[in-house]
Amino acid sequence: NRYRRIADRAAELYSPIVHLAAFAAFLGWMAFNGDLHNAVTVAIAVLIITCPCALGLAVPMVQVVAARRLFDAGIMVKDGSALERLAEIDSVVFDKTGTLTLGAPQLLDPGDIAPETLAQAAALAAHSRHPYSQAITRAGAGLAPMPAFTAIGELPGFGVEAMLGTDRCRLGRADWALSDATKTGGTVLSRNGVEMARFVFADSLRAGAHRAVAALHDAGLAVEIVSGDTSAAVTAVADELHVRAGSGGILPGGKAERIAALQAQGHKTLMVGDGLNDAPALMAAHVSMAPSSAADVGRSAADFVFLHDDLAAVPLALAVARDAGRLVRQNFALSALYNAIALPIAVAGYVNPFLAAIAMSLSSIVVVLNALRLGWGGYRFHRRPAPRQTATARP
């Protein structure tokens, strides 16, 4: 936390400087009139009036108020320094499935898939928390008999693999599940590298997705989508949200590499993602955010977690963070101005210890009141009316 380090460093320097000033005032008044009582009184007044309480409250008070404002809006802050980092961002990277969309896709035309094939896919999908796997599981509920798979395992970013007797079955990315390298894109079920079924899904955009992306553009941020879904599906969502940059078919490591590439270009990036596949990118980003519906590892990796379905949480958190940074700088300025005025007056002998204590307390109150101004005017994203949700089909 840069602001906290500045405050701590200032506090370290503050003590010796204040004690030297008090000692100099004592020596000066002793040399001036030789009155020991007056010299001691002035020195004590200098020590009291320059107590760094206001400086010590400048950062944490704003952070506490900002965290409360965000919590009232359904956003949890896991790290106080994340507010400062969020205020510094110049770009935002979104995952698609479960982040820009609700992550509750529906399998299209399950009747076109043979029941025994759908049952196999559902049995494999039951071992994954990916939204598409859950859609297949729902579509295959009640189908019997369920196959007896063995050696079942999930490879994040690729899919689920298992053995059915001596056959190797895979459910996931086509370029991983199929032996034919030319067949890429989409979600497929394969046996020994041969396609058995291909699955098509439809999902809905999260509430507030259009407003959130528009607000981020208005704030001067570059927005892009990086997803493991097909390029066609990512392009469809990007076009609908008016996002210029969108990349599909990206593996979990590729998302983190994209974040690293942006950082190498000097960008400070906010990553918004929800899944196990997004955890590396969430940890690599300058600051990160996840919905409460995210996988456990995604919530653990994120600096912010929003507790509702509305993506308005992203521009709202950004607005609060920027306002918090502005108020911290104001508090530093108020603390410096107070001491610049109070110290000469105390050294000149115009303040007794009682008045010095009142002035010191008032300076702390001013800093606290300034911090409490955060969000008094409200934010346009604090209320979350749900706009019409739009379905986006995955080819």
Side-chain angles (χ1 to χ4, degrees):
N1 189 326
R2 179 167 56 93
Y3 289 137
R4 188 176 296 172
R5 289 196 300 270
I6 292 174
D8 291 343
R9 181 60 178 164
E12 290 177 4
L13 298 174
Y14 210 87
S15 181
I17 291 175
V18 166
H19 282 82
L20 286 174
F23 185 63
F26 171 79
L27 294 179
W29 279 98
M30 284 295 294
F32 178 69
N33 59 16
D35 187 339
L36 178 62
H37 179 270
N38 181 67
V40 170
T41 299
V42 171
I44 292 174
V46 170
L47 286 174
I48 294 174
I49 205 169
T50 55
C51 179
C53 292
L55 182 63
L57 291 171
V59 178
M61 193 64 205
V62 173
Q63 289 184 342
V64 168
V65 174
R68 177 53 189 268
R69 295 287 186 264
L70 290 175
F71 184 78
D72 288 343
I75 305 170
M76 291 180 58
V77 185
K78 295 172 56 180
D79 182 4
S81 66
L83 281 167
E84 179 184 334
R85 287 183 278 120
L86 181 59
E88 297 171 345
I89 66 167
D90 57 14
S91 59
V92 183
V93 173
F94 282 101
D95 174 48
K96 186 184 79 69
T97 306
T99 304
L100 287 173
T101 63
L102 289 173
Q106 299 296 319
L107 180 62
L108 296 181
D109 300 323
D112 294 342
I113 303 173
E116 61 275 11
T117 302
L118 184 56
Q120 289 185 23
L124 286 175
H127 296 274
S128 172
R129 291 189 58 189
H130 192 279
Y132 288 161
S133 294
Q134 294 175 351
I136 295 173
T137 301
R138 290 191 299 268
L143 293 178
M146 300 299 282
F149 285 108
T150 58
I152 300 176
E154 181 179 12
L155 186 60
F158 292 92
V160 182
E161 180 181 75
M163 298 300 296
L164 184 60
T166 59
D167 295 330
R168 184 178 301 277
C169 297
R170 287 180 171 179
L171 174 69
R173 295 170 58 102
D175 55 358
W176 169 73
L178 302 178
S179 56
D180 185 353
T182 62
K183 295 183 177 181
T184 61
T187 300
V188 302
L189 173 68
S190 71
R191 177 180 292 182
N192 297 326
V194 178
E195 181 176 323
M196 297 177 62
R198 185 172 291 265
F199 302 93
V200 180
F201 304 90
D203 203 353
S204 298
L205 291 176
R206 277 187 182 269
H210 291 91
R211 294 185 303 132
V213 172
L216 294 173
H217 283 145
D218 291 343
L221 304 180
V223 180
E224 66 179 273
I225 303 172
V226 178
S227 174
D229 207 344
T230 63
S231 296
V234 173
T235 300
V237 172
D239 290 344
E240 186 165 355
L241 295 176
H242 305 292
V243 175
R244 293 182 179 179
S247 303
I250 306 299
L251 298 176
K255 295 181 181 182
E257 290 172 0
R258 177 55 185 161
I259 297 295
L262 289 170
Q263 290 176 340
Q265 296 170 12
H267 294 289
K268 295 182 177 179
T269 303
L270 164 65
M271 174 67 194
V272 187
D274 80 305
L276 177 65
N277 302 342
D278 301 317
L282 291 170
M283 291 186 287
H286 189 65
V287 64
S288 55
M289 183 177 293
S292 58
S293 59
D296 293 341
V297 66
R299 292 197 303 271
S300 298
D303 298 302
F304 296 85
V305 177
F306 55 95
L307 308 177
H308 47 76
D309 290 335
D310 200 321
L311 274 178
V314 179
L316 172 60
L318 175 64
V320 171
R322 287 182 171 180
D323 284 352
R326 177 175 53 82
L327 289 178
V328 165
R329 293 189 292 272
Q330 287 180 4
N331 280 350
F332 279 147
L334 288 171
S335 300
L337 179 63
Y338 160 76
N339 284 287
I341 295 174
L343 181 59
I345 293 176
V347 170
Y350 292 112
V351 179
N352 60 42
F354 176 73
L355 293 177
I358 294 176
M360 182 269 293
S361 299
L362 287 176
S363 69
S364 299
I365 292 173
V366 168
V367 168
V368 171
L369 290 177
N370 190 53
L372 290 174
R373 291 195 308 112
L374 180 66
W376 272 6
Y379 294 95
R380 61 181 177 137
F381 292 105
H382 189 79
R383 291 186 176 183
R384 299 183 293 274
R388 179 179 60 87
Q389 296 182 358
T390 307
T392 302
R394 175 187 176 185

